[in-house]
Amino acid sequence: DKGTLFRIKVKRSDMDAVALVPNSTGIEQPVYGLFNAKVLLVENDLTVQEATRALLQRWGCNVRTAASLGDAIMALTNTNFDPDILIADQHLNRSTLGTDTIAQTRQLLGRVVPSILVTADANAELAMIAQTNRIELMHKPVRPAELRALMAHMLG
């Protein structure tokens, strides 16, 4: 009795469905600028490390993993791997901190590698340390979409 009724007839496209279905390589489409990005992931919890590595690989990233600062240094010195971005957990084994791991990795590479620090700590001191050292801070639990957007922004 009141208002207007509209009908729009549009031919259905399968483009959205194709874009969300993994291709035969298992890489999601589209990759949002992360295809072939070299990522060094430093995470001591092997379950989290494996899940994060699998996620990054689905996005098309070339990933090297390390559970400690020593592993990270070995991953860089024994290979030709030069990371585009570094993701590190703040609390690693033997009281090693992700902030120290990032600093030493950057020193070894001789450049400021774009870095993301992942932590459950929500204290102002850590936020200040991250900001001072040009490290992006992500609080746990990390949402994949937020991680992907941050990485794409940092690498863009």
Side-chain angles (χ1 to χ4, degrees):
D1 292 342
K2 290 184 178 179
T4 307
L5 175 65
F6 291 94
R7 287 189 187 187
I8 301 174
K9 209 171 191 181
V10 179
K11 187 174 180 180
R12 184 161 189 205
S13 170
D14 290 331
M15 287 304 291
D16 288 343
V18 171
L20 298 176
V21 176
N23 64 20
S24 61
T25 64
I27 298 171
E28 289 180 359
Q29 298 294 328
V31 182
Y32 301 104
L34 299 180
F35 188 72
N36 279 336
K38 290 182 245 166
V39 181
L40 177 60
L41 171 65
V42 185
E43 171 60 66
N44 64 316
D45 183 325
L46 297 182
T47 304
V48 173
Q49 183 190 93
E50 179 58 29
T52 306
R53 183 182 63 75
L55 178 68
L56 294 168
Q57 286 178 331
R58 261 190 18 227
W59 294 341
C61 297
N62 180 357
V63 184
R64 293 287 194 289
T65 58
S68 66
L69 172 60
D71 290 347
I73 291 171
M74 283 180 49
L76 297 174
T77 55
N78 293 340
T79 66
N80 231 3
F81 189 76
D82 186 19
D84 298 314
I85 193 165
L86 171 61
I87 302 172
D89 185 32
Q90 173 62 355
H91 296 286
L92 302 168
N93 294 338
R94 290 175 259 167
S95 302
T96 304
L97 299 176
T99 48
D100 296 334
T101 300
I102 291 169
Q104 290 188 38
T105 301
R106 286 173 167 178
Q107 184 176 10
L108 175 70
L109 294 170
R111 64 185 177 88
V112 178
V113 181
S115 301
I116 299 172
L117 184 67
V118 179
T119 185
D121 294 344
N123 66 57
E125 183 181 350
L126 181 58
M128 183 60 74
I129 291 168
Q131 182 180 15
T132 301
N133 291 288
R134 295 171 43 197
I135 299 170
E136 293 294 332
L137 190 61
M138 291 196 82
H139 294 283
K140 294 179 181 179
V142 173
R143 293 187 173 118
E146 290 176 3
L147 177 60
R148 183 175 55 204
L150 179 58
M151 289 176 65
H153 171 74
M154 293 173 76
L155 294 171

